[in-house]
Amino acid sequence: MSDFKVLIIEADERRSRELKDILEFIDYASEVVPDRANWNRDMEDPGDYLAVLVGTCRSDKALDKLLTEIHNTDEHLPIFLLSERGKEPTVAIDAGSCILGRWERPPSYSPLTNTLHQAQSYRDILKNKDEAKSLEDKGKIVRDLDTI
């Protein structure tokens, strides 16, 4: 089983169950949150999550608000938008955004597996980048101490 969980934000019980079953089959733990307003209520550490799969929202405005909240909670948490063919949300994906892509329903094994590998790569790159920044900062502190 993966060390990370996948957060599914989806109000439709059938759709969320379908995703949860597929994730379980490919050995990923998942957590389903049907209420967008309380999506992070039980989240202790955003770093425990590999990705967030965001399902249907009432409107693009509600989706924008949710995406902003996710970004404000953890700016590096990968997000994938789920939609029916022809009903894609019109949310803009900005450069530097953690929205890594859109995923069409109905779910299938191969695209979901690719999505999760992409999320893992994204998290690994950011972790390595943060570690390099931390080492760079520590090196700067040591150099600053040498000048005292």
Side-chain angles (χ1 to χ4, degrees):
M1 177 126 340
S2 171
D3 294 336
F4 294 105
K5 295 183 271 188
V6 176
L7 182 62
I8 302 167
I9 303 174
E10 174 61 75
D12 185 297
E13 189 176 335
R14 180 186 56 79
R15 289 178 177 171
S16 62
R17 168 58 37 209
E18 192 174 56
L19 282 169
K20 188 168 181 64
D21 289 346
I22 291 171
L23 288 166
E24 186 177 292
F25 179 75
I26 59 175
D27 216 20
Y28 282 91
S30 62
E31 182 179 316
V32 175
V33 178
D35 181 10
R36 285 184 321 279
N38 295 311
W39 70 273
N40 62 350
R41 182 181 58 201
D42 296 328
M43 182 182 282
E44 291 178 23
D45 180 5
D48 291 342
Y49 294 85
L50 176 62
V52 178
L53 305 178
V54 177
T56 52
C57 281
R58 289 187 318 267
S59 67
D60 286 346
K61 185 176 180 179
L63 179 59
D64 274 334
K65 182 179 180 209
L66 175 62
L67 296 175
T68 299
E69 289 174 8
I70 294 170
H71 181 78
N72 290 340
T73 299
D74 181 348
E75 65 183 351
H76 301 307
L77 189 57
I79 302 168
F80 294 89
L81 304 177
L82 309 172
S83 64
E84 302 291 332
R85 182 183 300 267
K87 296 182 181 178
E88 294 83 7
T90 57
V91 174
I93 299 178
D94 300 322
S97 167
C98 288
I99 300 173
L100 299 188
R102 293 184 169 98
W103 190 56
E104 264 185 26
R105 295 180 192 272
S108 62
Y109 171 80
S110 183
L112 183 56
T113 303
N114 291 338
T115 295
L116 297 174
H117 287 299
Q118 182 183 8
Q120 182 65 57
S121 296
Y122 180 80
R123 296 286 274 182
D124 289 345
I125 288 168
L126 290 176
K127 180 181 176 192
N128 291 338
K129 188 176 180 181
D130 288 345
E131 287 173 358
K133 174 82 170 115
S134 176
L135 289 173
E136 180 182 309
D137 291 345
K138 287 178 184 171
K140 183 179 181 316
I141 291 169
V142 169
R143 286 189 304 276
D144 289 347
L145 289 174
D146 288 342
T147 60
I148 295 178

